[in-house]
Amino acid sequence: QMFGITEKPKVGLRFENHSHSHFSDGDNLGEIVDLLFDKGIPIWSLTDHENSEAFDHLQEGRYKLNSKNKYELEVNNDRRSMVIHSQNKQLILLRSVEYWTDKGEIGIHGYKGKLPQKNIPLDEAIDRALDMGGYVVINHPYFWEGIGAHGRKNIEEAVDKGAAAIEKNGTETLIQIYSPTRAELDARQFKVPLITSGDAHRLYMYGLSGITFDEKAYETALKQNGMNHADAVKDLVSSGNFKTYLNYLKLKEFLGFFSFGAAKEAENE
């Protein structure tokens, strides 16, 4: 990768925790699901910009996944997560969003209900996310769309309001390497977990960076939370009970990352 180092995923249940589909500015939803099954990544947060329409379309039957794989969907009663079954494999999908506050973007994972129009105050957005059962990650904090770009005081405010983790993002190249470096320092300073992610917008970005949960720890968290996947993931992330792996994009991949066109219309509506 960028520095000639490739970090392999740790043994355990891999969690793709920051990603985008064609419901905002990423690749085709069905192709992403196929890819995650092929890669053996069983837990996924789809954090499209300002919307959770992919999750909602799936649960309402308004989007049909590739029929050749015979997917079956099992939506949790609280509609904060679902399990996509394919033969003897499963993919856990959290209802999530990358949400724009008045200070920049945060990731909200495993939530229910609707969020108001973007640009609401950061503290209000976090309050709402927690009230709706979700947990908050401070995404790419010093990137130009991150809340740290407006000052470190916003990182501290987010942590004080209950943000669960700070993200170290694999899309950030040498020219902006200060962002993941400062994220790591802030995680230590504010005593919150440092989570790694790939911010995947293109299929080739999936699986490059993320975290893994120990299988026994996940089973325990799941039982302790009434078999609710959203709460199990929230507990493990908030407690830092995971291992990370991170691979920066190469320059050519980085340029591809910034080549997305306008958002496509949802397919099979």
Side-chain angles (χ1 to χ4, degrees):
Q1 296 298 324
M2 188 171 67
F3 297 115
I5 299 172
T6 300
E7 193 167 50
K8 294 181 179 179
K10 307 301 187 294
V11 174
L13 302 173
R14 296 168 67 182
F15 178 24
E16 187 80 29
N17 59 74
H18 183 173
S19 62
H20 302 272
S21 76
H22 74 268
F23 281 84
S24 61
D25 53 0
D27 278 335
N28 178 270
L29 175 63
E31 292 179 1
I32 297 169
V33 171
D34 290 342
L35 182 67
L36 291 172
F37 272 102
D38 288 343
K39 285 183 172 289
I41 299 175
I43 309 174
W44 178 31
S45 260
L46 179 56
T47 51
D48 279 324
H49 294 285
E50 311 308 326
N51 79 84
S52 300
E53 290 184 14
F55 186 101
D56 296 342
H57 275 60
L58 285 170
Q59 73 165 343
E60 295 163 8
R62 291 188 285 142
Y63 185 95
K64 302 297 183 184
L65 295 170
N66 192 338
S67 59
K68 74 177 183 180
N69 291 315
K70 298 180 180 178
Y71 292 125
E72 294 183 4
L73 275 58
E74 176 188 359
V75 182
N76 189 274
N77 290 335
D78 64 10
R79 299 183 183 277
R80 294 163 53 216
S81 66
M82 70 171 65
V83 180
I84 303 172
H85 297 275
S86 178
Q87 297 179 349
N88 62 339
K89 298 180 181 179
Q90 66 178 29
L91 172 62
I92 298 155
L93 172 61
L94 304 188
R95 186 173 185 268
S96 305
V97 64
E98 187 164 36
Y99 189 72
W100 196 292
T101 74
D102 66 334
K103 300 298 192 303
E105 290 181 317
I106 57 174
I108 301 174
H109 303 257
Y111 79 104
K112 60 184 176 182
K114 292 185 177 181
L115 288 159
Q117 189 175 3
K118 69 178 183 179
N119 292 327
I120 67 171
L122 173 64
D123 60 345
E124 180 183 344
I126 295 175
D127 282 342
R128 286 175 177 264
L130 300 182
D131 287 345
M132 292 187 288
Y135 70 88
V136 173
V137 174
I138 301 171
N139 285 357
H140 41 61
Y142 292 98
F143 199 50
W144 63 74
E145 294 174 343
I147 63 175
H150 296 273
R152 192 167 182 266
K153 64 183 183 298
N154 296 322
I155 305 292
E156 185 172 12
E157 177 187 349
V159 172
D160 288 344
K161 292 298 292 185
I166 294 177
E167 178 191 73
K168 187 175 181 179
N169 191 301
T171 67
E172 294 165 315
T173 64
L174 187 59
I175 59 173
Q176 58 207 32
I177 198 64
Y178 66 88
S179 179
T181 301
R182 291 181 69 179
E184 196 163 348
L185 292 172
D186 282 349
R188 295 174 189 168
Q189 173 69 30
F190 297 124
K191 296 181 173 59
V192 292
L194 180 74
I195 198 167
T196 52
S197 76
D199 196 359
H201 287 73
R202 290 288 174 258
L203 291 176
Y204 65 79
M205 298 171 71
Y206 279 85
L208 285 178
S209 301
I211 66 174
T212 61
F213 301 123
D214 176 82
E215 290 191 40
K216 290 185 178 179
Y218 192 86
E219 290 174 6
T220 298
L222 194 57
K223 291 177 182 177
Q224 290 175 342
N225 286 282
M227 306 307 290
N228 186 303
H229 288 286
D231 285 332
V233 171
K234 177 168 61 175
D235 279 1
L236 292 172
V237 169
S238 300
S239 64
N241 194 356
F242 56 82
K243 294 183 179 179
T244 64
Y245 62 99
L246 183 93
N247 293 289
Y248 291 106
L249 292 181
K250 298 175 183 176
L251 181 58
K252 184 177 181 180
E253 294 171 334
F254 180 75
L255 295 175
F257 168 61
F258 279 101
S259 69
F260 9 95
K264 304 172 186 177
E265 294 184 1
E267 298 178 2
N268 300 331
E269 290 189 346

